Amino acid sequence: MSDYQLLIGGRLVAGEARMDVINPATEEVIASCARASNPQLEAAVAAAKAAFPEWARASLDERKRVLTAIAAAIDANADALARLLTLEQGKPLSDASAEVRHTAAFFRYFATLELPVRVVTGKGGQRTEVHRRPLGVVAAIIPWNFPLLIIAFKVPAALLAGNTVVLKPAATTPLATLELARLIAQIVPPGVINVVADANDLGAALSSHPDVRKVSLTGSTATGRKVMGGAAQTLKRLTLELGGNDAGIVLDDVDPAAVASRIFDGAFQNNGQVCLALKRLYVHSSIYDRMCDELTAIAERTVVGDGMSSGTRLGPLQNRMQYERVATLVQDAAKHGATIKGGPIEGRGYFFRPTIVRDIDDGARLVDEEQFGPVLPVIRYSDDEDALRRANSSAYGLGGSVWSADPERAYALAARLEAGTVWINTHMGINPDVPFGGAKQSGVGVEFGLDGLLEYTQLQVITRPS
Ligand code: NAD
């Protein structure tokens, strides 16, 4: 097993300091890992910069070979990586195993893409070609909810396009990433990927570094604003996948019993710690009570426990700060007269019952803010247009869903939701070949698919005699 070291310039190195990592199910220290200093961050960026010219010249086939080899290494170490994910993130082992599988699948997917060269004109004795060139050093900054999978949203696209990378995990979930660093040190040419772990103190220096040409951040909208500010000085390219407050609208023709488990999954997967989780549910008054009862019944029979125990469906929240934030939002809802079914679980570990909150309205913090936890506010409405207006009255615009027995009726409303991704009769679900990005303050740019790959490139137009 790894000593959890940094990867800088092809070498695994100890951090100038170390930091403890906590298991959110037990609140015990599970490991100590390397913590990078500012000079080590500088060394990582310098190594990525030095490796860039040769990597940019490598053939596409060579880069694809590296991505495929990383995918194979992830698969070959899937059990160990999944255990680390459960220990540091809290999610059940089966979910952690699925995350590891999907991480490898994203690396493999990007290895199937091509970088197209377009010929725009061929007239008058000239040929104009539109090439896609890499940018240089890419900073990939990762949150704590899907520590491995979100790496695979960024790193394979950046590498395939010919960029080099400095990767930084979240402070509370560095272990699986550092284990991955140990594996890829054998595969990737020195400096092409560098991994630095921090105690949430190096993000600003990395994302504003003059030698970083692009920042790809998945994190909160507040952090996205800071990254955008720090990028201004050298006009960096940005992909920002940020927060959300996804609304679902359940129309009056829906049978609550038929959809409740799908709605529950859309809201509570990964304990609601998903950017694209359903975070506000608007339900027509004619079916409101039955919908609340169905959701509450599912919540009450959901097994919450240590992710290492078989049978656990939801683990603890990932960290104390998030646990306290979610508890505060629920207390605030109670103060405003809402009915709460669920709530925090006393004792060790950041455990929280999946919680259904009814008799609540817009204006409550739980409805207006991103809870990012296992609590779903269910809001009554009586007019579809009013529900749509309320769903859209948010600074966020990541995802949304409309639920109806009549797909055409749902589609008409769905098309008017101000969100980057909209579903009918389901919520959540991503695919490596389907572009994904937020509207409004949920993000800038897209990930996945050819659209996502092209964000790691810049155009070069060459005109020459044909
Ligand atoms: P966060 O913004 O606190 O941290 C994300 C990462 O940014 C961490 O690695 C952190 O160390 C780093 N960071 C912190 N300050 C920084 C700075 N000034 N400059 C650069 N980097 C900095 O987010 P979190 O609490 O880890 O994750 C939860 C948030 O992420 C939620 O808002 C959630 O919706 C969002 N999220 C979005 C998506 C998406 O695809 N849109 C996916 C997952 C999570």
Side-chain angles (χ1 to χ4, degrees):
M1 187 47 76
S2 171
D3 195 23
Y4 305 118
Q5 295 180 310
L6 312 175
L7 176 60
I8 301 177
R11 288 183 38 242
L12 293 167
V13 295
E16 282 187 12
R18 293 190 74 78
M19 60 185 186
D20 288 341
V21 181
I22 306 264
N23 178 345
T26 61
E27 299 183 54
E28 283 163 5
V29 174
I30 36 170
S32 108
C33 74
R35 172 181 169 189
S37 63
N38 248 301
Q40 287 180 311
L41 174 66
E42 288 292 335
V45 175
K49 187 180 176 187
F52 173 65
E54 198 174 328
W55 182 248
R57 273 198 308 271
S59 70
L60 200 63
D61 281 348
E62 171 59 10
R63 293 186 215 141
K64 289 181 175 191
R65 194 191 61 70
V66 167
L67 297 194
T68 308
I70 294 174
I74 293 170
D75 281 341
N77 293 273
D79 289 348
L81 288 168
R83 281 180 65 79
L84 277 179
L85 273 184
T86 294
L87 287 173
E88 66 178 345
Q89 206 284 335
K91 63 187 65 184
L93 198 52
S94 53
D95 289 0
S97 297
E99 179 171 345
V100 173
R101 266 199 319 279
H102 292 140
T103 303
F106 266 77
F107 272 89
R108 282 210 179 82
Y109 164 74
F110 279 106
T112 67
L113 295 185
E114 302 295 324
L115 277 172
V117 179
R118 260 189 310 141
V119 176
V120 181
T121 53
K123 308 183 273 204
Q126 287 191 330
R127 174 184 162 90
T128 296
E129 298 167 355
V130 182
H131 293 264
R132 292 285 179 166
R133 303 296 189 208
L135 299 164
V137 178
V138 170
I141 304 180
I142 311 296
W144 44 256
N145 56 343
F146 290 93
L148 281 182
L149 182 60
I150 293 176
I151 292 173
F153 295 176
K154 305 177 185 309
V155 170
L159 292 185
L160 185 71
N163 304 284
T164 54
V165 172
V166 177
L167 167 66
K168 194 195 81 56
T172 52
T173 53
L175 298 181
T177 307
L178 295 177
E179 178 61 8
L180 179 66
R182 189 180 73 80
L183 301 174
I184 60 186
Q186 321 290 323
I187 298 168
V188 176
V192 168
I193 304 180
N194 305 271
V195 184
V196 289
D198 71 338
N200 216 6
D201 56 341
L202 292 180
L206 174 59
S207 59
S208 61
H209 196 292
D211 289 336
V212 168
R213 295 302 312 134
K214 177 183 172 97
V215 182
S216 181
L217 163 81
T218 297
S220 63
T221 294
T223 302
R225 287 190 194 106
K226 290 183 199 157
V227 166
M228 194 175 240
Q233 202 55 39
T234 50
L235 294 175
K236 298 182 200 318
R237 275 45 172 181
L238 295 174
T239 300
L240 304 176
E241 294 295 352
L242 307 176
N245 195 9
D246 289 15
I249 303 176
V250 187
L251 303 185
D252 57 3
D253 58 4
V254 164
D255 172 6
V259 300
S261 70
R262 254 177 293 151
I263 288 181
F264 187 87
D265 289 345
F268 289 94
Q269 199 194 104
N270 208 39
N271 250 330
Q273 301 167 122
V274 188
C275 55
L276 276 171
L278 180 45
K279 293 179 179 138
R280 302 174 279 161
L281 189 68
Y282 291 91
V283 180
H284 191 270
S285 56
S286 61
I287 54 168
Y288 182 81
D289 290 335
R290 277 196 297 140
M291 191 78 240
C292 290
D293 290 347
E294 293 285 350
L295 290 170
T296 303
I298 299 173
E300 284 174 349
R301 57 174 190 264
T302 298
V303 179
V304 178
D306 191 319
M308 283 295 181
S309 309
S310 65
T312 292
R313 168 89 193 283
L314 297 177
L317 270 79
Q318 200 283 315
N319 58 73
R320 172 163 291 283
M321 209 164 54
Q322 193 60 23
Y323 175 79
E324 284 171 357
R325 174 174 161 74
V326 175
T328 302
L329 293 182
V330 172
Q331 280 160 15
D332 180 75
K335 254 192 269 158
H336 285 84
T339 308
I340 319 283
K341 299 279 188 192
I345 300 173
E346 295 300 317
R348 275 182 101 71
Y350 312 136
F351 292 105
F352 216 102
R353 292 286 325 155
T355 301
I356 305 296
V357 176
R358 55 169 296 172
D359 308 319
I360 188 167
D361 217 335
D362 298 74
R365 288 185 63 195
L366 182 62
V367 179
D368 293 357
E369 297 179 23
E370 181 188 36
Q371 68 273 47
F372 214 62
V375 181
L376 181 65
V378 187
I379 306 136
R380 187 191 292 270
Y381 82 86
S382 50
D383 170 58
D384 292 355
E385 285 298 321
D386 181 47
L388 183 70
R389 186 189 56 74
R390 289 151 81 181
N392 282 339
S393 90
S394 169
Y396 294 116
L398 199 56
S401 55
V402 180
W403 302 72
S404 172
D406 175 352
E408 289 308 315
R409 191 179 161 207
Y411 187 91
L413 224 51
R416 292 164 61 209
L417 268 177
E418 295 168 0
T421 301
V422 183
W423 297 274
I424 292 169
N425 292 342
T426 185
H427 199 110
M428 224 163 1
I430 52 167
N431 281 301
D433 54 350
V434 177
F436 159 62
K440 300 197 273 187
Q441 292 185 40
S442 284
V444 171
V446 294
E447 293 191 305
F448 311 169
L450 184 60
D451 302 282
L453 174 64
L454 296 183
E455 292 216 357
Y456 289 89
T457 66
Q458 62 197 9
L459 290 181
Q460 186 192 40
V461 178
I462 301 181
T463 299
R464 64 179 190 191
S466 57

